Amino acid sequence: MTTLFRSLPNLITAARLALVPLVVWAILREAWGTAFLLFALAGLSDGIDGWLARRYGLASRLGAILDPLADKALMLAVLVSLAHAGIVPVWFPAILIARDALVVLAAGLARLAGRPLETPPLLIGKLNTACQIAFLAWLIGARALGVHVPAIEALAMPALAGLSVASALVQGLRAVRAGA
């Protein structure tokens, strides 16, 4: 197996990370079709790199770090860009970003205390991420198609914020139990 093939999932992940500024640029230019295409391409690349890593045993420590970093960078950059563009209110990305910041802070503090958190992903966390990605795709895709349904957006944002807070609480409780 060539070195290039072994590192293919990481190269795909790096390409996804490189798409982040392009998606932001497209959103800020209100080039919704381009933004949606790039966002969808990033999502597709996430599935492909994960599949390759699992299917061919190409998982690596670097990939375990880069993959979630690329995912979060894309989601957070899109959230902030949508807030800047006036598509979502500022409180919405603030809550979602605060949740992620708390999780990272807790993991960092645990590591500093010599008790790294080794918790597998939780179903609620996966659900939270999937719902966020779907909603961001909806926001961008609806604008690309010229569709605007404010009622859906008005209902989805508080629901997603609540799910994000619930996810943080469940993850926090699990971490506390693991450390006890």
Side-chain angles (χ1 to χ4, degrees):
M1 197 176 321
T2 68
T3 303
L4 177 62
F5 184 71
R6 268 193 290 255
S7 61
L8 187 57
N10 292 342
L11 292 173
I12 294 169
T13 301
R16 183 168 67 257
L17 199 51
L19 284 175
V20 172
L22 298 174
V23 175
V24 168
W25 173 84
I27 290 170
L28 296 178
R29 297 269 185 261
E30 296 184 10
W32 299 113
T34 301
F36 183 74
L37 179 66
L38 293 170
F39 188 79
L41 183 62
L44 183 62
S45 76
D46 188 24
I48 291 170
D49 66 13
W51 179 80
L52 285 170
R54 286 185 304 278
R55 171 73 170 87
Y56 295 103
L58 301 173
S60 69
R61 185 176 174 146
L62 177 61
I65 294 167
L66 275 183
D67 188 65
L69 176 67
D71 294 344
K72 287 300 175 187
L74 178 66
M75 287 183 34
L76 297 178
V78 167
L79 280 165
V80 170
S81 299
L82 290 171
H84 186 270
I87 305 301
V88 298
V90 173
W91 66 262
F92 181 64
I95 289 173
L96 303 185
I97 291 168
R99 180 244 182 237
D100 288 341
L102 286 173
V103 169
V104 169
L105 178 64
L109 290 174
R111 191 180 254 332
L112 283 174
R115 298 167 68 189
L117 297 175
E118 298 293 332
T119 58
L122 301 175
L123 180 60
I124 191 170
K126 289 183 176 196
L127 177 65
N128 181 50
T129 300
C131 288
Q132 286 179 19
I133 291 168
F135 184 62
L136 294 177
W138 161 265
L139 288 172
I140 298 168
R143 277 148 185 84
L145 295 171
V147 176
H148 186 62
V149 186
I152 290 174
E153 295 169 12
L155 291 172
M157 282 186 272
L160 281 173
L163 181 59
S164 188
V165 169
S167 171
L169 289 173
V170 168
Q171 197 164 357
L173 287 172
R174 186 159 194 203
V176 167
R177 286 186 187 144

